Amino acid sequence: MISDPKDVPGASVDVPVQALRLNKALSQAGVCSRRRADELVLAGKVAVNGVVIHEPGLKIDPNRDNVVVDGQKVDFLPLKEHLYLLFHKPVQTVTTASDPQGRTTVFDLLPPTVRRAGLFTVGRLDYFSEGLLVFTDDGELVHRLTHPSTHVPKIYRVLVRGEVTEGMLATMRGGMRLAEGEILAPVTVSVLEHDPDHAPGSRTLLEMRLIQGVNRQIRRMCRDLGLTVLRLVRTQQGPIHLGDLPRGQTRPLTPAEVASLRDAAGLASPGVSPGFGVPPARSGPEPRQAPPSPRNGPSDKPSTDRYVKRKMKRHRNV
């Protein structure tokens, strides 16, 4: 029986402890993401106990209810140990499972030993961006970290052509309005290196700390300021550092890293062994973790209260 009190109008029904929202159950089963599950429900492609469902918020009991998605029965297996991977995305790869243009995807570069159904990326990097990318089949973690209300910071090293003036830095720190009209939260930005002669064509290395996931945000910010992005590398996501992991290589997150990442997302530790049964994809010592970036003074600290309350459009390419 469908585990939803709303099915019995006027009745008081105790929802079983095992009851889960349908989208969460499908995500945990590795069928699809929560958002995709909602789309399938609204499209009438999900049936529970023989009844086509149109309510994404329905709760089910995976131990009792029979769920069919697009004609295929869903097997709700006992909870398995989740997989958490750190990947160094190289340029000219797409952050999708498949690409209609035949381009190399980040999933193509994963070792065969770690490929499994229900593996997702936590956010995205665009075709010409590189750096830290987290893979996991922990649907709850993916949902929390990619939700617009969760402001887990991401840090980038950005090499640009052109002189970066104090006025440009102030504009980024104050919160920009992009040419397309989107209003951005303040960005913590500092100059790490620059050409001393300030000649035409000079280059500047920036470090940026973002709390949003606006599509191609850094590239569009630089475009509006007259700067050309030459290289863009994500070096940190929340408490997870890229370290010296080589391009195209993968390693499992340590239990401490998983615990810290879930804590940053407001989740309790799952009590599993991250990377269980997965041999490291590279030999040698554990990659050295880069130290946290120093603050650059009070003017760099973004004020984000007004952005927490605003429902942001969910884009995650940078």
Side-chain angles (χ1 to χ4, degrees):
M1 181 177 66
I2 297 175
S3 305
D4 192 349
K6 293 183 293 184
D7 294 338
V8 187
S12 176
V13 180
D14 291 331
V15 179
V17 175
Q18 301 94 333
L20 294 175
R21 286 177 64 94
L22 183 56
N23 59 1
K24 182 176 182 179
L26 293 177
S27 175
Q28 288 186 351
V31 175
C32 57
S33 68
R34 287 192 183 191
R35 178 186 290 184
R36 178 58 180 159
D38 289 342
E39 293 172 350
L40 290 171
V41 170
L42 293 174
K45 295 187 176 183
V46 179
V48 179
N49 300 332
V51 179
V52 176
I53 301 301
H54 297 282
E55 175 53 59
L58 180 76
K59 288 188 176 181
I60 66 165
D61 183 347
N63 295 324
R64 296 189 302 169
D65 294 324
N66 180 51
V67 180
V68 175
V69 176
D70 211 9
Q72 299 294 319
K73 184 179 183 301
V74 178
D75 292 321
F76 295 103
L77 301 176
L79 183 63
K80 64 180 182 297
E81 293 184 332
H82 288 303
L83 184 66
Y84 304 88
L85 300 171
L86 175 61
F87 176 67
H88 188 159
K89 177 192 178 295
V91 297
Q92 296 185 327
T93 55
V94 291
T95 314
T96 55
S98 61
D99 182 62
Q101 301 178 42
R103 296 174 295 181
T104 300
T105 76
V106 293
F107 288 87
D108 294 333
L109 301 180
L110 291 179
T113 53
V114 302
R115 296 177 188 174
R116 62 166 65 173
L119 196 61
F120 304 106
T121 59
V122 181
R124 300 187 178 190
L125 287 170
D126 70 25
Y127 188 64
F128 289 108
S129 297
E130 56 188 299
L132 184 153
L133 196 62
V134 172
F135 284 85
T136 184
D137 56 1
D138 184 343
E140 181 72 9
L141 180 63
V142 174
H143 176 71
R144 287 291 188 94
L145 289 177
T146 56
H147 195 276
S149 65
T150 304
H151 297 280
V152 176
K154 296 180 284 288
I155 295 179
Y156 300 82
R157 295 286 177 94
V158 188
L159 182 65
V160 299
R161 179 184 294 117
E163 181 180 358
V164 180
T165 66
E166 285 298 324
M168 293 176 180
L169 295 175
T171 297
M172 289 187 276
R173 292 167 181 162
M176 293 179 60
R177 179 188 290 272
L178 295 174
E180 294 81 4
E182 290 153 294
I183 300 176
L184 304 178
V187 172
T188 301
V189 57
S190 59
V191 175
L192 300 181
E193 298 178 14
H194 63 84
D195 292 337
D197 53 8
H198 301 289
S202 62
R203 303 189 301 176
T204 304
L205 179 62
L206 302 172
E207 183 172 81
M208 294 185 177
R209 179 183 181 274
L210 276 61
I211 60 168
Q212 283 175 294
V214 176
N215 186 37
R216 296 174 62 84
Q217 177 176 341
I218 291 177
R219 295 185 185 277
R220 293 162 67 194
M221 289 171 59
C222 291
R223 174 205 64 192
D224 290 355
L225 294 172
L227 303 170
T228 300
V229 175
L230 302 176
R231 188 181 181 194
L232 195 161
V233 184
R234 182 192 286 163
T235 60
Q236 185 177 339
Q237 183 168 7
I240 308 302
H241 296 262
L242 180 63
D244 60 359
L245 184 66
R247 293 186 188 91
Q249 295 297 303
T250 308
R251 71 167 177 86
L253 294 183
T254 66
E257 287 175 323
V258 172
S260 64
L261 187 59
R262 289 180 61 86
D263 182 66
L267 297 171
S269 174
V272 301
S273 300
F276 175 80
V278 180
R282 58 190 294 266
S283 59
E286 188 75 12
R288 184 178 66 255
Q289 300 297 307
S293 302
R295 300 288 185 188
N296 292 293
S299 62
D300 287 350
K301 185 176 182 180
S303 175
T304 60
D305 291 346
R306 59 195 174 111
Y307 297 95
V308 173
K309 298 178 182 179
R310 180 184 296 127
K311 183 176 181 180
M312 305 301 298
K313 187 176 182 181
R314 294 185 65 189
H315 298 295
R316 285 175 294 281
N317 283 359
V318 177

